[in-house]
Amino acid sequence: MAVLFKLSKRYHINTTQAIAWNYASAVLLSWLIFRPQFPEISAAPMGIYVFLGLLLPFMFVVIAASIQYTGIVRTDVAQRLSLFIPIVAAYFLFREDFSTVKIAGILLGFIAIICAIPWQKDKTINTGRPQWAYLLTVFLGMGIIDVLFKQIAKQTDIPFTASLFIVFIIASGIAFATLIILIILKKMKFEWINVLCGLILGVFNFGNIFFYLKAHQALANTPSIVFSSMNIGVIILGSIVGILIFKEKLSRLNYIGIALAVVSIVIITMAH
């Protein structure tokens, strides 16, 4: 997702259109691959499905706007620090036991997050908007999404593949309804490049959420490991992509952060 937003200006990609087609791609993939069954649909947590279906496309738009008006750096900080919300939920909501080793690994992960993010000033920032509102929304929204996906993974009455399909259907419906309204009002022009980019994004979005849910199922009693590993892993992968593809230069502190992220994942895994 970050790569798409980073490339969107260069290739004149309309992120709103790409987001809509991304969910169409995710719906199609989930149907073709899983052929979801709905044996106990009455027991399905429809409230969570609807909330996620609303929140997913909304957060795509918010993150794109946050990157535009506050910069990639600040948006990335807010998104990564949202790890705080699911970690708190793992203790108070999911009743996970936290050993000293696990706490040390998570704390080291937070330090890694702070160190690995480039803190230099982003010259593309538009200061004409309330920056704190975008950043706060990114922080809260991404944290809540993590917790809701954990709730879905806990369901036993309905297969998680069916849950995933329903969430994608709702998100797709909302995204396309918004897109159609904008086109009718002539606030946006349909372009095929956005369809292609959106379909490609949907493949990665589908894979990301699918394996995220699988991880929560495999580690049902230790959600903090999934929450932490995902966020810290994104830092490592994002740094590699930034260096190799976008030729970004990292400071010594950034490299220390990446190294700490690897150590943190090792510690958290050992604690499990």
Side-chain angles (χ1 to χ4, degrees):
M1 182 173 66
V3 173
L4 171 69
F5 293 146
K6 203 173 183 69
L7 293 173
S8 60
K9 285 187 178 181
R10 183 186 303 177
Y11 295 104
H12 306 290
I13 298 169
N14 184 290
T15 53
T16 302
Q17 292 187 41
I19 289 167
W21 288 104
N22 139 76
Y23 285 112
S25 176
V27 168
L28 181 62
L29 284 172
S30 59
W31 176 258
L32 292 176
I33 294 175
F34 302 135
R35 298 291 181 179
Q37 303 295 317
F38 307 96
E40 297 290 341
I41 193 64
S42 60
M46 291 306 299
I48 294 178
Y49 293 162
V50 172
F51 195 16
L52 265 175
L54 287 166
L55 202 54
L56 286 172
F58 173 72
M59 288 310 301
F60 260 117
V61 174
V62 169
I63 289 172
S66 181
I67 288 174
Q68 180 181 355
Y69 295 114
T70 74
I72 294 175
V73 173
R74 290 171 176 79
T75 301
D76 199 39
V77 171
Q79 195 170 350
R80 295 303 140 227
L81 291 182
S82 68
L83 171 63
F84 176 78
I85 295 174
I87 289 297
V88 171
Y91 183 81
F92 290 102
L93 184 61
F94 303 119
R95 304 298 180 183
E96 179 182 350
D97 292 327
F98 279 69
S99 66
T100 303
V101 176
K102 188 183 295 183
I103 292 173
I106 292 172
L107 289 176
L108 189 62
F110 275 110
I111 295 172
I113 289 172
I114 294 171
C115 292
I117 294 171
W119 290 94
Q120 69 271 19
K121 185 177 180 180
D122 192 331
K123 297 179 181 179
T124 64
I125 293 175
N126 183 331
T127 56
R129 299 292 183 97
Q131 297 181 26
W132 65 269
Y134 288 108
L135 297 175
L136 180 62
T137 305
V138 170
F139 172 79
L140 293 175
M142 297 308 294
I144 292 171
I145 284 174
D146 283 347
V147 175
L148 292 178
F149 272 126
K150 170 58 183 175
Q151 291 281 23
I152 285 181
K154 286 177 59 181
Q155 298 297 318
T156 57
D157 295 326
I158 183 170
F160 86 95
T161 52
S163 297
L164 195 59
F165 180 72
I166 295 171
V167 169
F168 282 146
I169 284 283
I170 296 172
S172 179
I174 293 169
F176 272 106
T178 303
L179 181 60
I180 291 170
I181 291 172
L182 291 173
I183 291 176
I184 290 175
L185 295 176
K186 297 183 179 180
K187 294 184 178 294
M188 188 178 297
K189 182 181 178 182
F190 175 81
E191 294 176 316
W192 283 105
I193 183 64
N194 301 313
V195 177
L196 177 61
C197 293
L199 294 177
I200 294 173
L201 175 63
V203 174
F204 291 100
N205 191 25
F206 166 80
N208 174 53
I209 295 176
F210 169 69
F211 287 110
Y212 187 51
L213 285 173
K214 287 287 286 183
H216 272 302
Q217 285 195 318
L219 301 169
N221 296 322
T222 52
S224 66
I225 292 180
V226 182
F227 294 138
S228 304
S229 299
M230 185 200 72
N231 280 274
I232 298 166
V234 165
I235 288 177
I236 298 173
L237 182 60
S239 299
I240 293 173
V241 171
I243 294 170
L244 297 181
I245 298 180
F246 297 107
K247 309 300 181 184
E248 293 181 354
K249 295 186 181 296
L250 301 183
S251 66
R252 184 176 300 176
L253 182 64
N254 298 154
Y255 282 112
I256 292 173
I258 295 170
L260 289 177
V262 175
V263 175
S264 173
I265 290 177
V266 172
I267 292 175
I268 293 171
T269 304
M270 288 175 60
H272 174 63

